[in-house]
Amino acid sequence: MENIKVIVGLGSCGIAAGANKVFEKIKALKEADNLKFELKKTSCIGMCYREPLVEIVDDNGSYLYGDINEKKAAELIEKHILENEPIKSYVVQTDLFETPDKDFIEDQVKITLRNCGYIDPEKIEEYEVRGGYRAIRKIAGQRISRLDVIQTVINSGLRGRGGGGFPTGLKWKFANNNKADEKYIICNADEGDPGAFMDRSVLEGDPHAVLEGMIIGAYAIEATGGVIYCRAEYPLAIKRLNIAIEQARENGYLGKNILGIDGFNFDIYIKEGAGAFVCGEETALIASVEGERGMPRKRPPFPAESGLWQKPTNINNVETLANIPWILLHGSEEYAKYGTEKSKGTKVFALAGKIKRSGLVEVPMGMSIRDVIFKLGGGIQNDKKFKAVQMGGPSGGCIPAYLADTIIDYDSVNATGAIMGSGGMVVMDETTCMIDVAKFFLDFTQKESCGKCTFCRTGTKRMLEILTRITEGKGEESDIEKLEELSYQIKDSSLCGLGQTAPNPVLTTIKYFREEYEAHIRDKKCPAKVCKQLLTYEVDPEKCTGCTVCAKNCPTDAIDGAKKEVHFIRQDDCIKCGTCYTKCKFDAIKIY
Amino acid sequence: MRIARISGEKITKEQEQVDVNLLDSLIEKYKDKKGNLIPLLQGTQDIFGYIPREAFEKISSEAGIELSDMYGVVTFYAQFRLNPVGKHIIKVCHGTACHVQNANAITDALKELLKINDGETTEDGMFTLESVACLGCCSLAPVMMIDNDTHGKLTGGQAVKIIKNIKIKESN
């Protein structure tokens, strides 16, 4: 039994699904019977839809068990460990036999997520065993020059994974060109896109990969200081980063004359973000690190010339940095083998929304959206009709079902009007109202606008008002044109990416779902039955049992009917709150 | 604009006395560092749960930061609060994934249960209800976080049950 390893996935998703309880249960059972197997922790492996996950590795191989609760955990100990009989029906992934979740794993190529779910993120040795810190050791050992490191990154074709898609190597080159006594490298871990969580998973699951990426970057551009700007909503990520930084210092990867490279002095500290989406913008992020209001400023000068404390500064996203050690270790050709002509490598996507298998996937660039959603993601929940996928968060757009064969690379996604963004993919089905989605994003950007540029500050508010009006059945014929006009004005007259892209969700939904806007405006109907003001509630006489629950709960007493008789909703008094619909146990309230 | 986020909640009950001496070590630590304003405010909020007026004044005079600069920063970032919060903070996620999975139903159910609006605190000072942009647990949508525990795949009814359980625990 000493050879058996039991590994519990303790990422944020896993913990939310109850992984801590499972871990404690297994620990208690192990201690109670003095069992000799090894109990370990790891982080997110990406199969969020199967959390909590427990992996058992024995002499035959690895068995990943999904949907484990305390009871099932006890069964696993009993059967698999004590009786050496794996419980096949709980297995979601193994190389030993086929599982229903095979499609989720098969086509993935894990570079960024190479260690997530395989190592204990709080132990530097486990990162080192899997090739960690070997890239920086190689650079130090072979005395690879700064320019060669930069050239390798340029050759790999790696583009910024935060959304912009600017070639990372070029960015480093600019920062390297600017000479100064102090220079900074900043890791942007302020993952603000609602619907995206890949950076969180990387930080929680493999913090050392990000640190090593920063150390290599610091070497390449001769940075003297490093900052990780991490959002405060990710307490677990911050905790693990702090542990990792401490370990990196103890092991000589941070500090003075790192790994014997003369004059290479570099250290990293964490700056907790305070909750502002606009701080994803480079100049706003710098202002925030300096302790100011996070408002963007005009460029040039670009941060590469004058950034943090007016010193040359290079900013990379978490996912970008996590790729760096792999590229340096395996070479640029190996990385560039994956992907399309202009978008190399792999990209991590956070699948969420109305999709069967939600979670994190890493796929080579060039895979079609259809394959990601239907093959890896398993299709739409409850087998409803696929309507659209939202990519790029508030700066992105909705790609309709008929464009599902679009391949995933920066240029193809941009051509649809959406953007690659940081990699959130929120899947929508026929029950999602596209105007409601557009309104949701506008509400977000409108609140998050820093207020500096008039069009962004006031224009988004006016757009939100128009959208709200449409969803309330007060839309006017000219509203679509007004929205379009405002959109172009906001795009043209905003200083930073937030304003320049804020209208994208509206523009793409108008482009692809114009008939839905028209249904709201002309027919005062919401085809997806989401916009409450546009719905009509009626009692189905066939199904109504006269239980009176709806009438009792109706806040405006708009429902008539005696006990055991069919009820009736007086439309004039109905405020369309939907209470009757949720309270009815007999499915007798119909929505039109 | 971000300033609209600050709830216009009126404080009816007598505010507790704030012991500003608790700030001494924090101010000592950050006093002479550049870019210290946000960490100072974050530290203050960790101590009091919000940023009391007295803390503003003390930090301003001891760390030499203008009150107007402090107020500007506090009102810019969503994290900072100017009013005391309840013992338990309920954060209902309204990210994209949670939105399409009907996070509104959770907020509505909790508003009804607690008889407060978004951003307000219950009269007994037990709960504060907040909407947040994204907790990053999108695959478990819809999600809410109470203190540091995340609860996923919720319905309005389940959310209500979780709060009721906390209430029962608190009354024992």
Side-chain angles (χ1 to χ4, degrees):
Chain A
M1 196 187 291
E2 286 82 358
N3 312 337
I4 300 181
K5 275 190 261 183
V6 178
I7 308 159
V8 183
L10 291 168
S12 277
C13 298
I15 292 171
N20 267 335
K21 284 184 193 150
V22 169
F23 183 85
E24 290 306 322
K25 177 80 182 175
I26 297 175
K27 198 173 155 201
L29 289 170
K30 175 177 152 76
E31 281 164 6
D33 291 336
N34 197 18
L35 302 173
K36 297 287 184 217
F37 64 84
E38 192 184 347
L39 179 58
K40 295 166 62 110
K41 294 176 183 177
T42 188
S43 190
C44 176
I45 197 164
M47 295 173 106
C48 305
Y49 64 103
R50 288 288 199 193
E51 296 279 7
L53 291 158
V54 175
E55 186 183 7
I56 299 185
V57 185
D58 63 16
D59 294 336
N60 299 321
S62 145
Y63 304 78
L64 184 67
Y65 291 102
D67 300 316
I68 298 302
N69 51 30
E70 288 168 272
K71 186 168 156 269
K72 284 182 178 174
E75 281 176 53
L76 288 181
I77 303 286
E78 182 74 32
K79 290 276 178 199
H80 191 147
I81 294 183
L82 294 174
E83 296 173 18
N84 198 19
E85 274 179 37
I87 308 176
K88 284 195 170 179
S89 58
Y90 296 169
V91 176
V92 292
Q93 163 62 15
T94 177
D95 293 333
L96 304 167
F97 49 87
E98 288 230 333
T99 60
D101 298 75
K102 177 175 72 84
D103 288 343
F104 186 77
I105 311 276
E106 210 173 43
D107 291 332
Q108 292 198 47
V109 176
K110 296 209 171 183
I111 294 178
T112 312
L113 302 175
R114 59 194 178 276
N115 295 323
C116 290
Y118 297 102
I119 62 168
D120 183 338
E122 298 182 11
K123 295 200 170 121
I124 192 170
E125 319 81 79
E126 297 202 8
Y127 176 66
E128 287 175 321
V129 165
R130 287 179 65 93
Y133 291 113
R134 225 175 277 166
I136 185 68
R137 281 184 178 282
K138 181 174 150 187
I139 292 168
Q142 300 177 11
R143 303 271 174 231
I144 300 175
S145 75
R146 299 192 151 87
L147 291 178
D148 285 344
V149 170
I150 294 173
Q151 198 55 46
T152 306
V153 178
I154 292 176
N155 292 347
S156 73
L158 176 67
R159 293 169 68 173
R161 295 290 190 250
F166 192 81
T168 307
L170 281 182
K171 213 173 184 179
W172 284 14
K173 201 170 181 177
F174 295 146
N176 178 284
N177 286 344
N178 291 301
K179 302 294 169 202
D181 55 336
E182 278 174 46
K183 278 193 202 179
Y184 295 97
I185 182 164
I186 299 180
C187 168
N188 181 355
D190 190 44
E191 187 171 51
D193 276 18
F197 54 95
M198 47 267 138
D199 291 352
R200 175 180 63 74
S201 286
V202 174
L203 294 169
E204 284 177 5
D206 197 10
H208 284 289
V210 181
L211 297 189
E212 191 181 357
M214 284 181 81
I215 295 165
I216 295 169
Y219 171 74
I221 68 164
E222 292 185 78
T224 48
V227 180
I228 301 177
Y229 186 86
C230 185
R231 63 196 297 239
E233 283 92 336
Y234 289 173
L236 188 61
I238 292 171
K239 179 185 150 210
R240 289 188 177 156
L241 276 171
N242 271 319
I243 295 172
I245 291 173
E246 203 45 55
Q247 290 171 341
R249 283 183 192 139
E250 282 164 14
N251 285 273
Y253 299 119
L254 292 173
K256 295 225 156 35
N257 300 320
I258 295 167
L259 298 175
I261 305 172
D262 246 359
F264 180 28
N265 306 329
F266 178 66
D267 205 351
I268 297 174
Y269 72 96
I270 297 175
K271 186 91 189 176
E272 278 184 48
F277 178 66
V278 70
C279 289
E281 215 283 332
E282 291 191 341
T283 54
L285 190 153
I286 290 170
S288 182
V289 175
E290 290 174 350
E292 313 265 316
R293 288 163 69 97
M295 292 168 95
R297 61 157 175 79
K298 216 173 106 202
R299 298 180 298 181
F302 286 90
E305 299 156 49
S306 171
L308 186 59
W309 315 118
Q310 286 76 53
K311 302 289 180 188
T313 301
N314 175 74
I315 303 180
N316 293 123
N317 151 278
V318 171
E319 194 185 329
T320 314
L321 288 168
N323 276 305
I324 297 286
W326 194 94
I327 293 171
L328 266 296
L329 199 57
H330 296 85
S332 50
E333 296 83 29
E334 198 59 28
Y335 190 77
K337 257 185 11 196
Y338 300 106
T340 60
E341 196 197 332
K342 286 187 179 161
S343 304
K344 298 293 182 196
T346 59
K347 174 82 192 90
V348 183
F349 289 100
L351 299 180
K354 310 266 175 116
I355 192 163
K356 276 188 186 152
R357 300 190 193 121
S358 55
L360 275 194
V361 294
E362 181 169 0
V363 296
M365 296 272 192
M367 190 182 264
S368 73
I369 292 176
R370 185 182 304 284
D371 280 348
V372 173
I373 294 174
F374 286 91
K375 196 164 177 219
L376 279 72
I380 310 300
Q381 279 176 3
N382 305 320
D383 293 314
K384 288 215 162 101
K385 207 170 137 208
F386 170 47
K387 185 170 182 179
V389 57
Q390 210 285 340
M391 281 182 74
S395 309
C398 293
I399 300 174
Y402 73 84
L403 290 179
D405 290 313
T406 305
I407 60 161
I408 296 171
D409 67 15
Y410 288 95
D411 308 291
S412 310
V413 175
N414 282 349
T416 66
I419 61 164
M420 180 86 93
S422 54
M425 270 197 184
V426 181
V427 177
M428 294 158 185
D429 67 10
E430 54 197 341
T431 63
T432 313
C433 169
M434 302 318 280
I435 293 91
D436 180 64
V437 169
K439 189 178 96 179
F440 166 78
F441 282 115
L442 249 290
D443 181 51
F444 180 82
T445 33
Q446 183 261 131
K447 280 183 191 147
E448 294 294 339
S449 170
C450 78
K452 187 166 184 164
C453 307
T454 312
F455 275 88
C456 176
R457 180 182 70 237
T458 313
T460 52
K461 187 149 181 71
R462 295 288 96 85
M463 283 179 77
L464 178 64
E465 283 165 4
I466 296 175
L467 288 167
T468 306
R469 193 162 80 205
I470 294 175
T471 56
E472 286 172 351
K474 296 171 197 152
E476 294 158 15
E477 278 293 326
S478 59
D479 277 349
I480 297 180
E481 286 67 40
K482 273 187 206 146
L483 283 172
E484 283 176 328
E485 196 190 332
L486 270 169
S487 293
Y488 292 119
Q489 286 170 348
I490 294 169
K491 273 172 161 296
D492 286 345
S493 5
S494 298
L495 184 61
C496 82
L498 189 145
Q500 286 161 8
T501 59
N504 284 354
V506 178
L507 287 175
T508 52
T509 47
I510 291 178
K511 184 171 170 191
Y512 298 118
F513 299 95
R514 198 182 181 98
E515 70 289 348
E516 214 168 309
Y517 277 86
E518 287 166 352
H520 281 73
I521 294 170
R522 285 186 200 143
D523 314 331
K524 313 291 176 204
K525 284 280 168 214
C526 174
K529 297 180 184 163
V530 172
C531 302
K532 278 185 175 168
Q533 301 294 319
L534 303 183
L535 304 179
T536 311
Y537 292 84
E538 277 176 21
V539 178
D540 182 349
E542 301 282 309
K543 287 187 176 166
C544 180
T545 62
C547 71
T548 73
V549 164
C550 59
K552 275 182 195 151
N553 282 290
C554 179
T556 53
D557 284 327
I559 305 179
D560 295 331
K563 224 174 183 178
K564 293 191 179 161
E565 277 173 28
V566 172
H567 283 48
F568 175 78
I569 303 176
R570 290 192 318 278
Q571 296 301 332
D572 289 348
D573 295 323
C574 175
I575 55 163
K576 304 170 203 266
C577 66
T579 306
C580 52
Y581 179 76
T582 40
K583 293 283 178 188
C584 182
K585 291 193 177 78
F586 305 97
D587 196 21
I589 306 288
K590 294 282 163 238
I591 304 173
Y592 299 98
Chain B
M1 258 199 325
R2 304 190 123 272
I3 201 147
R5 280 195 184 176
I6 295 174
S7 72
E9 187 188 354
K10 288 193 191 83
I11 317 265
T12 42
K13 60 175 184 265
E14 198 68 20
Q15 270 195 27
E16 283 169 43
Q17 275 297 312
V18 174
D19 179 10
V20 284
N21 293 329
L22 292 170
L23 292 169
D24 286 341
S25 63
L26 183 77
I27 295 175
E28 200 48 48
K29 186 176 168 195
Y30 286 108
K31 206 167 147 183
D32 301 316
K33 291 200 178 142
K34 48 182 184 179
N36 59 3
L37 178 49
I38 292 174
L40 274 170
L41 294 168
Q42 283 170 331
T44 308
Q45 187 155 298
D46 280 345
I47 296 171
F48 300 110
Y50 71 110
I51 301 171
R53 192 190 175 95
E54 295 85 341
F56 269 102
E57 284 157 1
K58 186 177 165 84
I59 294 172
S60 172
S61 67
E62 290 182 20
I65 303 170
E66 290 292 330
L67 273 176
S68 56
D69 286 342
M70 291 176 70
Y71 191 75
V73 167
V74 167
T75 52
F76 186 83
Y77 293 101
Q79 184 189 11
F80 297 120
R81 303 188 193 90
L82 290 168
N83 288 321
V85 283
K87 188 169 172 194
H88 302 286
I89 299 174
I90 308 167
K91 292 180 181 165
V92 182
C93 179
H94 284 262
T96 321
C98 290
H99 181 77
V100 300
Q101 301 280 31
N102 208 2
N104 282 338
I106 296 171
T107 299
D108 289 346
L110 294 182
K111 274 189 200 165
E112 196 187 311
L113 174 77
L114 300 169
K115 308 268 181 280
I116 48 174
N117 274 319
D118 203 5
E120 292 180 357
T121 302
T122 52
E123 239 170 55
D124 58 1
M126 198 57 82
F127 297 101
T128 299
L129 182 64
E130 281 184 350
S131 292
V132 294
C134 188
L135 293 169
C137 290
C138 311
S139 53
L140 299 171
V143 179
M144 71 172 175
M145 195 186 224
I146 302 176
D147 305 325
N148 277 324
D149 293 330
T150 315
H151 305 265
K153 295 190 177 161
L154 294 171
T155 60
Q158 284 166 332
V160 165
K161 207 180 261 175
I162 293 167
I163 303 298
K164 282 186 174 163
N165 280 338
I166 296 178
K167 277 188 171 176
I168 293 168
K169 263 189 213 159
E170 287 288 347
S171 59
N172 285 338

